[in-house]
Amino acid sequence: NAGVTQTPKFQVLKTGQSMTLQCAQDMNHEYMSWYRQDPGMGLRLIHYSVGAGITDQGEVPNGYNVSRSTTEDFPLRLLSAAPSQTSVYFCASSALGQPSGANVLTFGAGSRLTVL
Amino acid sequence: AQSVTQPDIHITVSEGASLELRCNYSYGATPYLFWYVQSPGQGLQLLLKYFSGDTLVQGIKGFEAEFKRSQSSFNLRKPSVHWSDAAEYFCAVGDGGFKTIFGAGTRLFVKA
């Protein structure tokens, strides 16, 4: 019963490097999302997806790309890392079909990224 | 735009004392409201939710929250805090679409 699995748990990058944070869920959830958590700012939505082939932007999408080729996976790509992207990243998923806007999110354990 | 305000950055309570964490939201229609808890180094876990109906909702670990439309509030309460409740607590609102908006969080410290 894995739930939402994120890899890696920790990563250090140099400015300008690229990387992909992986997220996989085994609950057959249609909805998947990425948040970043910064001190004093709570969680801010980066991108989300409501199904394979469908993605949309959240509050802070700049510098990040996503794709959704399968129901299970929702990777987050940093094309050219910047120190401002130092953060803890959370992937979260939810079943749809509830009242719209009432997504009960299941979170992964997080990925801590440091950009030097 | 929807928003969530948690006025207290951190709160310290003694073990066995009661707890109330404040949350105010800004939303035009009937909101979908949530409280999540994050233990150190962990992801977030749902404590409770309000969608409609009874304005007092019960959650896991002995927590409850009361929705007050007139005050745009959804405060979290627990009658007797345990040391294991030390964590960060996030209030959140569903935006009526596909986005969940989170507050900045309140960190709870529990004194022995």
Side-chain angles (χ1 to χ4, degrees):
Chain A
N1 196 12
V4 178
T5 302
Q6 291 183 233
T7 57
K9 292 191 185 310
F10 301 94
Q11 183 72 48
V12 179
L13 291 178
K14 294 181 180 178
T15 297
Q17 288 184 318
S18 63
M19 78 156 300
T20 300
L21 298 177
Q22 301 290 346
C23 176
Q25 53 91 9
D26 62 358
M27 297 170 285
N28 204 32
H29 284 169
E30 301 95 333
Y31 180 88
M32 296 186 75
S33 57
W34 278 102
Y35 285 86
R36 59 177 289 171
Q37 182 180 25
D38 301 291
M41 305 193 73
L43 281 79
R44 292 179 292 169
L45 182 65
I46 305 171
H47 285 286
Y48 66 95
S49 167
V50 297
I54 306 170
T55 63
D56 205 347
Q57 297 181 349
E59 302 171 72
V60 289
N62 292 341
Y64 306 95
N65 278 358
V66 292
S67 61
R68 184 98 178 267
S69 57
T70 67
T71 300
E72 294 78 19
D73 300 299
F74 191 45
L76 179 72
R77 298 182 184 85
L78 285 70
L79 299 179
S80 179
S84 61
Q85 294 178 303
T86 293
S87 188
V88 181
Y89 292 85
F90 287 97
C91 180
S93 71
S94 170
L96 291 178
Q98 308 165 36
S100 179
N103 300 327
V104 176
L105 298 172
T106 300
F107 282 84
S111 298
R112 183 176 294 274
L113 175 66
T114 301
V115 182
L116 303 176
Chain B
Q2 296 81 15
S3 65
V4 177
T5 302
Q6 294 181 247
D8 303 304
I9 297 173
H10 55 79
I11 282 182
T12 301
V13 300
S14 298
E15 192 169 16
S18 63
L19 171 69
E20 183 169 29
L21 301 182
R22 296 182 291 164
C23 173
N24 293 98
Y25 64 90
S26 171
Y27 189 70
T30 299
Y32 301 120
L33 295 163
F34 309 85
W35 276 99
Y36 288 85
V37 60
Q38 183 182 30
S39 298
Q42 302 295 317
L44 281 71
Q45 179 186 18
L46 179 73
L47 275 178
L48 47 79
K49 63 185 185 290
Y50 172 78
F51 290 170
S52 64
D54 193 347
T55 56
L56 184 64
V57 294
Q58 302 296 321
I60 62 172
K61 305 184 182 185
F63 285 91
E64 66 179 26
E66 186 170 14
F67 169 59
K68 293 185 177 180
R69 184 188 303 275
S70 61
Q71 299 178 19
S72 297
S73 69
F74 189 56
N75 294 349
L76 182 71
R77 300 194 295 248
K78 186 170 185 178
S80 177
V81 168
H82 188 262
W83 64 267
S84 60
D85 294 324
E88 189 154 21
Y89 293 80
F90 293 93
C91 183
V93 61
D95 77 340
F98 297 110
K99 300 176 186 176
T100 301
I101 310 301
F102 285 83
T106 298
R107 183 167 293 278
L108 173 65
F109 297 95
V110 180
K111 292 191 301 185

